[in-house]
mmCIF file of all heavy atoms in Angstrom:
data_model
loop_
_atom_site.group_PDB
_atom_site.id
_atom_site.type_symbol
_atom_site.label_atom_id
_atom_site.label_comp_id
_atom_site.label_asym_id
_atom_site.label_seq_id
_atom_site.Cartn_x
_atom_site.Cartn_y
_atom_site.Cartn_z
ATOM 1 N N SER I 203 97.412 159.644 93.522
ATOM 2 C CA SER I 203 96.470 160.725 93.879
ATOM 3 C C SER I 203 97.195 161.860 94.529
ATOM 4 O O SER I 203 96.770 163.016 94.311
ATOM 5 C CB SER I 203 95.493 160.086 94.971
ATOM 6 O OG SER I 203 94.759 159.111 94.367
ATOM 7 N N THR I 204 98.320 161.674 95.240
ATOM 8 C CA THR I 204 99.102 162.803 95.741
ATOM 9 C C THR I 204 99.698 163.649 94.711
ATOM 10 O O THR I 204 99.590 164.819 94.744
ATOM 11 C CB THR I 204 100.191 162.161 96.685
ATOM 12 O OG1 THR I 204 99.666 161.441 97.689
ATOM 13 C CG2 THR I 204 101.029 163.297 97.302
ATOM 14 N N LEU I 205 100.161 162.992 93.667
ATOM 15 C CA LEU I 205 100.617 163.788 92.486
ATOM 16 C C LEU I 205 99.554 164.708 91.957
ATOM 17 O O LEU I 205 99.761 165.858 91.613
ATOM 18 C CB LEU I 205 101.179 162.864 91.373
ATOM 19 C CG LEU I 205 101.614 163.574 90.098
ATOM 20 C CD1 LEU I 205 102.770 164.579 90.272
ATOM 21 C CD2 LEU I 205 102.026 162.552 89.027
ATOM 22 N N ILE I 206 98.385 164.042 91.699
ATOM 23 C CA ILE I 206 97.313 164.819 91.072
ATOM 24 C C ILE I 206 96.829 165.976 91.954
ATOM 25 O O ILE I 206 96.508 167.079 91.478
ATOM 26 C CB ILE I 206 96.088 163.849 90.806
ATOM 27 C CG1 ILE I 206 96.526 162.913 89.646
ATOM 28 C CG2 ILE I 206 94.835 164.608 90.483
ATOM 29 C CD1 ILE I 206 95.483 161.824 89.236
ATOM 30 N N ARG I 207 96.835 165.676 93.265
ATOM 31 C CA ARG I 207 96.458 166.752 94.237
ATOM 32 C C ARG I 207 97.387 167.856 94.226
ATOM 33 O O ARG I 207 97.071 169.035 94.459
ATOM 34 C CB ARG I 207 96.240 166.098 95.564
ATOM 35 C CG ARG I 207 94.925 165.272 95.787
ATOM 36 C CD ARG I 207 95.108 164.335 96.924
ATOM 37 N NE ARG I 207 95.048 165.134 98.244
ATOM 38 C CZ ARG I 207 93.857 165.603 98.866
ATOM 39 N NH1 ARG I 207 92.760 165.299 98.227
ATOM 40 N NH2 ARG I 207 93.942 166.194 99.985
ATOM 41 N N CYS I 208 98.672 167.601 94.028
ATOM 42 C CA CYS I 208 99.720 168.670 93.962
ATOM 43 C C CYS I 208 99.402 169.484 92.630
ATOM 44 O O CYS I 208 99.505 170.724 92.611
ATOM 45 C CB CYS I 208 101.082 168.072 93.882
ATOM 46 S SG CYS I 208 101.639 167.491 95.504
ATOM 47 N N LEU I 209 99.150 168.817 91.520
ATOM 48 C CA LEU I 209 98.926 169.476 90.221
ATOM 49 C C LEU I 209 97.708 170.327 90.288
ATOM 50 O O LEU I 209 97.587 171.315 89.621
ATOM 51 C CB LEU I 209 98.878 168.440 89.140
ATOM 52 C CG LEU I 209 100.106 167.679 88.576
ATOM 53 C CD1 LEU I 209 99.810 166.601 87.685
ATOM 54 C CD2 LEU I 209 101.167 168.709 88.130
ATOM 55 N N ALA I 210 96.713 169.753 91.073
ATOM 56 C CA ALA I 210 95.477 170.568 91.183
ATOM 57 C C ALA I 210 95.447 171.701 92.159
ATOM 58 O O ALA I 210 94.448 172.320 92.303
ATOM 59 C CB ALA I 210 94.321 169.555 91.556
ATOM 60 N N GLY I 211 96.526 171.818 92.983
ATOM 61 C CA GLY I 211 96.533 172.959 93.878
ATOM 62 C C GLY I 211 95.857 172.651 95.106
ATOM 63 O O GLY I 211 95.717 173.532 95.983
ATOM 64 N N ILE I 212 95.464 171.321 95.400
ATOM 65 C CA ILE I 212 94.814 171.025 96.613
ATOM 66 C C ILE I 212 95.800 170.903 97.754
ATOM 67 O O ILE I 212 95.444 171.232 98.897
ATOM 68 C CB ILE I 212 94.007 169.616 96.423
ATOM 69 C CG1 ILE I 212 93.034 169.847 95.333
ATOM 70 C CG2 ILE I 212 93.447 169.218 97.695
ATOM 71 C CD1 ILE I 212 92.352 168.531 94.924
ATOM 72 N N ILE I 213 97.015 170.347 97.483
ATOM 73 C CA ILE I 213 98.076 170.319 98.468
ATOM 74 C C ILE I 213 99.344 170.797 97.745
ATOM 75 O O ILE I 213 99.421 170.980 96.585
ATOM 76 C CB ILE I 213 98.288 168.906 99.003
ATOM 77 C CG1 ILE I 213 98.713 167.926 97.838
ATOM 78 C CG2 ILE I 213 97.158 168.465 99.785
ATOM 79 C CD1 ILE I 213 99.106 166.548 98.287
ATOM 80 N N GLN I 214 100.358 171.229 98.651
ATOM 81 C CA GLN I 214 101.495 171.784 98.106
ATOM 82 C C GLN I 214 102.696 170.828 98.271
ATOM 83 O O GLN I 214 102.761 170.121 99.358
ATOM 84 C CB GLN I 214 101.970 173.091 98.872
ATOM 85 C CG GLN I 214 100.857 174.209 98.594
ATOM 86 C CD GLN I 214 100.692 174.543 97.223
ATOM 87 O OE1 GLN I 214 101.689 174.868 96.421
ATOM 88 N NE2 GLN I 214 99.487 174.506 96.676
ATOM 89 N N PRO I 215 103.579 170.644 97.331
ATOM 90 C CA PRO I 215 104.691 169.714 97.501
ATOM 91 C C PRO I 215 105.712 170.344 98.430
ATOM 92 O O PRO I 215 105.715 171.519 98.667
ATOM 93 C CB PRO I 215 105.250 169.618 96.081
ATOM 94 C CG PRO I 215 104.882 170.891 95.477
ATOM 95 C CD PRO I 215 103.518 171.276 95.961
ATOM 96 N N ASP I 216 106.544 169.468 99.025
ATOM 97 C CA ASP I 216 107.546 169.859 99.971
ATOM 98 C C ASP I 216 108.705 170.514 99.202
ATOM 99 O O ASP I 216 109.218 171.507 99.494
ATOM 100 C CB ASP I 216 108.113 168.723 100.808
ATOM 101 C CG ASP I 216 106.985 168.122 101.715
ATOM 102 O OD1 ASP I 216 106.065 168.899 102.182
ATOM 103 O OD2 ASP I 216 107.049 166.967 101.977
ATOM 104 N N ILE I 217 109.139 169.740 98.070
ATOM 105 C CA ILE I 217 110.147 170.308 97.223
ATOM 106 C C ILE I 217 109.846 169.842 95.784
ATOM 107 O O ILE I 217 108.943 169.066 95.617
ATOM 108 C CB ILE I 217 111.571 169.657 97.629
ATOM 109 C CG1 ILE I 217 111.558 168.117 97.650
ATOM 110 C CG2 ILE I 217 111.982 170.198 99.000
ATOM 111 C CD1 ILE I 217 112.978 167.587 97.781
ATOM 112 N N GLY I 218 110.603 170.406 94.841
ATOM 113 C CA GLY I 218 110.389 170.091 93.487
ATOM 114 C C GLY I 218 109.676 171.275 92.803
ATOM 115 O O GLY I 218 109.367 172.270 93.391
ATOM 116 N N GLU I 219 109.596 171.087 91.454
ATOM 117 C CA GLU I 219 108.997 172.202 90.672
ATOM 118 C C GLU I 219 108.098 171.712 89.665
ATOM 119 O O GLU I 219 108.181 170.542 89.152
ATOM 120 C CB GLU I 219 110.093 173.132 90.017
ATOM 121 C CG GLU I 219 111.040 172.491 89.031
ATOM 122 C CD GLU I 219 111.992 173.497 88.515
ATOM 123 O OE1 GLU I 219 111.868 174.656 88.539
ATOM 124 O OE2 GLU I 219 113.005 172.998 87.836
ATOM 125 N N MET I 220 107.146 172.562 89.182
ATOM 126 C CA MET I 220 106.252 172.264 88.061
ATOM 127 C C MET I 220 106.492 173.455 87.088
ATOM 128 O O MET I 220 106.656 174.568 87.377
ATOM 129 C CB MET I 220 104.871 172.294 88.569
ATOM 130 C CG MET I 220 104.470 171.086 89.469
ATOM 131 S SD MET I 220 102.845 171.043 90.083
ATOM 132 C CE MET I 220 103.088 172.286 91.501
ATOM 133 N N LEU I 221 106.625 172.983 85.765
ATOM 134 C CA LEU I 221 106.781 173.991 84.670
ATOM 135 C C LEU I 221 105.689 173.817 83.638
ATOM 136 O O LEU I 221 105.311 172.679 83.304
ATOM 137 C CB LEU I 221 108.156 173.665 84.011
ATOM 138 C CG LEU I 221 109.391 173.856 84.842
ATOM 139 C CD1 LEU I 221 109.826 172.556 85.484
ATOM 140 C CD2 LEU I 221 110.613 174.346 83.953
ATOM 141 N N LEU I 222 105.209 174.929 83.218
ATOM 142 C CA LEU I 222 104.178 175.045 82.170
ATOM 143 C C LEU I 222 104.830 175.762 80.992
ATOM 144 O O LEU I 222 105.273 176.879 81.118
ATOM 145 C CB LEU I 222 102.918 175.753 82.666
ATOM 146 C CG LEU I 222 101.733 175.515 81.899
ATOM 147 C CD1 LEU I 222 101.215 174.026 81.862
ATOM 148 C CD2 LEU I 222 100.536 176.364 82.336
ATOM 149 N N ASP I 223 104.891 175.065 79.907
ATOM 150 C CA ASP I 223 105.464 175.653 78.656
ATOM 151 C C ASP I 223 106.958 176.177 78.919
ATOM 152 O O ASP I 223 107.370 177.188 78.472
ATOM 153 C CB ASP I 223 104.615 176.758 78.087
ATOM 154 C CG ASP I 223 103.284 176.453 77.675
ATOM 155 O OD1 ASP I 223 103.222 175.380 77.019
ATOM 156 O OD2 ASP I 223 102.395 177.106 77.824
ATOM 157 N N GLY I 224 107.617 175.459 79.744
ATOM 158 C CA GLY I 224 109.031 175.670 80.133
ATOM 159 C C GLY I 224 109.335 176.652 81.234
ATOM 160 O O GLY I 224 110.407 176.887 81.629
ATOM 161 N N SER I 225 108.177 177.284 81.744
ATOM 162 C CA SER I 225 108.381 178.321 82.866
ATOM 163 C C SER I 225 107.808 177.764 84.171
ATOM 164 O O SER I 225 106.772 177.110 84.255
ATOM 165 C CB SER I 225 107.545 179.597 82.435
ATOM 166 O OG SER I 225 108.062 180.163 81.253
ATOM 167 N N PRO I 226 108.566 177.922 85.237
ATOM 168 C CA PRO I 226 108.093 177.444 86.514
ATOM 169 C C PRO I 226 106.802 178.093 86.919
ATOM 170 O O PRO I 226 106.587 179.324 86.691
ATOM 171 C CB PRO I 226 109.244 177.895 87.539
ATOM 172 C CG PRO I 226 110.382 178.164 86.607
ATOM 173 C CD PRO I 226 109.930 178.582 85.276
ATOM 174 N N VAL I 227 105.967 177.267 87.508
ATOM 175 C CA VAL I 227 104.672 177.842 88.020
ATOM 176 C C VAL I 227 104.425 177.272 89.367
ATOM 177 O O VAL I 227 104.878 176.215 89.844
ATOM 178 C CB VAL I 227 103.443 177.327 87.058
ATOM 179 C CG1 VAL I 227 103.582 178.043 85.724
ATOM 180 C CG2 VAL I 227 103.344 175.884 87.029
ATOM 181 N N ARG I 228 103.634 178.064 90.125
ATOM 182 C CA ARG I 228 103.223 177.696 91.464
ATOM 183 C C ARG I 228 101.774 177.527 91.430
ATOM 184 O O ARG I 228 101.085 178.496 90.824
ATOM 185 C CB ARG I 228 103.648 178.591 92.573
ATOM 186 C CG ARG I 228 103.259 178.218 93.961
ATOM 187 C CD ARG I 228 103.803 179.103 94.969
ATOM 188 N NE ARG I 228 103.330 178.748 96.444
ATOM 189 C CZ ARG I 228 102.193 179.335 96.860
ATOM 190 N NH1 ARG I 228 101.526 180.251 96.152
ATOM 191 N NH2 ARG I 228 101.746 178.882 98.079
ATOM 192 N N ILE I 229 101.199 176.438 92.000
ATOM 193 C CA ILE I 229 99.702 176.220 91.904
ATOM 194 C C ILE I 229 99.155 176.195 93.288
ATOM 195 O O ILE I 229 99.164 175.144 93.887
ATOM 196 C CB ILE I 229 99.380 175.007 91.089
ATOM 197 C CG1 ILE I 229 100.086 174.979 89.779
ATOM 198 C CG2 ILE I 229 97.817 174.763 91.055
ATOM 199 C CD1 ILE I 229 99.856 173.615 88.939
ATOM 200 N N PRO I 230 98.926 177.371 93.909
ATOM 201 C CA PRO I 230 98.573 177.415 95.262
ATOM 202 C C PRO I 230 97.061 176.959 95.636
ATOM 203 O O PRO I 230 96.780 176.639 96.766
ATOM 204 C CB PRO I 230 98.747 178.876 95.672
ATOM 205 C CG PRO I 230 98.407 179.585 94.369
ATOM 206 C CD PRO I 230 98.955 178.677 93.275
ATOM 207 N N ASP I 231 96.284 176.867 94.580
ATOM 208 C CA ASP I 231 94.868 176.450 94.831
ATOM 209 C C ASP I 231 94.215 175.996 93.588
ATOM 210 O O ASP I 231 94.747 176.284 92.370
ATOM 211 C CB ASP I 231 94.083 177.571 95.504
ATOM 212 C CG ASP I 231 94.063 178.873 94.704
ATOM 213 O OD1 ASP I 231 93.740 178.944 93.432
ATOM 214 O OD2 ASP I 231 94.460 179.959 95.184
ATOM 215 N N PRO I 232 93.128 175.381 93.630
ATOM 216 C CA PRO I 232 92.494 174.805 92.336
ATOM 217 C C PRO I 232 92.073 175.933 91.337
ATOM 218 O O PRO I 232 92.019 175.661 90.187
ATOM 219 C CB PRO I 232 91.202 174.143 92.873
ATOM 220 C CG PRO I 232 91.574 173.724 94.242
ATOM 221 C CD PRO I 232 92.411 174.806 94.764
ATOM 222 N N GLN I 233 91.713 177.106 91.857
ATOM 223 C CA GLN I 233 91.424 178.241 90.936
ATOM 224 C C GLN I 233 92.536 178.552 89.988
ATOM 225 O O GLN I 233 92.403 178.736 88.770
ATOM 226 C CB GLN I 233 90.948 179.535 91.712
ATOM 227 C CG GLN I 233 90.695 180.692 90.855
ATOM 228 C CD GLN I 233 89.474 180.349 89.890
ATOM 229 O OE1 GLN I 233 88.486 179.713 90.296
ATOM 230 N NE2 GLN I 233 89.468 180.916 88.673
ATOM 231 N N VAL I 234 93.761 178.626 90.558
ATOM 232 C CA VAL I 234 94.945 178.862 89.714
ATOM 233 C C VAL I 234 95.163 177.668 88.732
ATOM 234 O O VAL I 234 95.559 177.889 87.532
ATOM 235 C CB VAL I 234 96.218 179.077 90.663
ATOM 236 C CG1 VAL I 234 97.505 179.091 89.755
ATOM 237 C CG2 VAL I 234 96.074 180.323 91.354
ATOM 238 N N ALA I 235 94.911 176.449 89.221
ATOM 239 C CA ALA I 235 95.047 175.283 88.246
ATOM 240 C C ALA I 235 94.204 175.470 86.994
ATOM 241 O O ALA I 235 94.580 175.248 85.856
ATOM 242 C CB ALA I 235 94.874 174.009 89.069
ATOM 243 N N ARG I 236 92.942 175.927 87.372
ATOM 244 C CA ARG I 236 92.033 176.030 86.285
ATOM 245 C C ARG I 236 92.440 177.188 85.340
ATOM 246 O O ARG I 236 92.281 177.095 84.046
ATOM 247 C CB ARG I 236 90.561 176.307 86.813
ATOM 248 C CG ARG I 236 89.902 175.253 87.410
ATOM 249 C CD ARG I 236 88.402 175.515 87.667
ATOM 250 N NE ARG I 236 88.190 176.476 88.662
ATOM 251 C CZ ARG I 236 88.094 176.322 89.987
ATOM 252 N NH1 ARG I 236 88.036 174.925 90.344
ATOM 253 N NH2 ARG I 236 87.875 177.231 90.814
ATOM 254 N N GLU I 237 92.934 178.304 85.890
ATOM 255 C CA GLU I 237 93.408 179.409 85.007
ATOM 256 C C GLU I 237 94.603 179.062 84.188
ATOM 257 O O GLU I 237 94.814 179.583 83.066
ATOM 258 C CB GLU I 237 93.706 180.561 85.913
ATOM 259 C CG GLU I 237 92.631 181.211 86.622
ATOM 260 C CD GLU I 237 93.004 182.182 87.696
ATOM 261 O OE1 GLU I 237 94.250 182.343 88.023
ATOM 262 O OE2 GLU I 237 92.078 182.800 88.353
ATOM 263 N N LEU I 238 95.432 177.972 84.585
ATOM 264 C CA LEU I 238 96.488 177.595 83.837
ATOM 265 C C LEU I 238 96.139 176.439 82.832
ATOM 266 O O LEU I 238 96.939 175.960 82.040
ATOM 267 C CB LEU I 238 97.540 177.022 84.803
ATOM 268 C CG LEU I 238 98.334 177.894 85.719
ATOM 269 C CD1 LEU I 238 99.161 177.163 86.703
ATOM 270 C CD2 LEU I 238 99.115 178.868 84.907
ATOM 271 N N GLY I 239 94.828 176.115 82.757
ATOM 272 C CA GLY I 239 94.351 175.167 81.824
ATOM 273 C C GLY I 239 94.378 173.803 82.227
ATOM 274 O O GLY I 239 94.398 172.806 81.494
ATOM 275 N N LEU I 240 94.400 173.432 83.636
ATOM 276 C CA LEU I 240 94.476 172.136 84.144
ATOM 277 C C LEU I 240 93.178 171.783 84.854
ATOM 278 O O LEU I 240 92.753 172.526 85.802
ATOM 279 C CB LEU I 240 95.640 172.016 85.111
ATOM 280 C CG LEU I 240 97.021 172.499 84.660
ATOM 281 C CD1 LEU I 240 98.065 172.466 85.793
ATOM 282 C CD2 LEU I 240 97.537 171.926 83.405
ATOM 283 N N SER I 241 92.565 170.783 84.467
ATOM 284 C CA SER I 241 91.256 170.328 85.002
ATOM 285 C C SER I 241 91.375 168.914 85.558
ATOM 286 O O SER I 241 92.088 168.099 84.971
ATOM 287 C CB SER I 241 90.110 170.406 83.957
ATOM 288 O OG SER I 241 89.798 171.727 83.702
#
Side-chain angles (χ1 to χ4, degrees):
S203 295
T204 302
L205 172 66
I206 288 175
R207 288 163 66 85
C208 288
L209 291 173
I212 297 171
I213 59 176
Q214 299 300 306
D216 299 328
I217 58 173
E219 63 177 344
M220 293 176 278
L221 297 91
L222 196 65
D223 297 319
S225 299
V227 294
R228 181 174 175 270
I229 307 177
D231 56 56
Q233 179 61 36
V234 171
R236 286 193 294 267
E237 292 169 356
L238 292 172
L240 311 178
S241 288

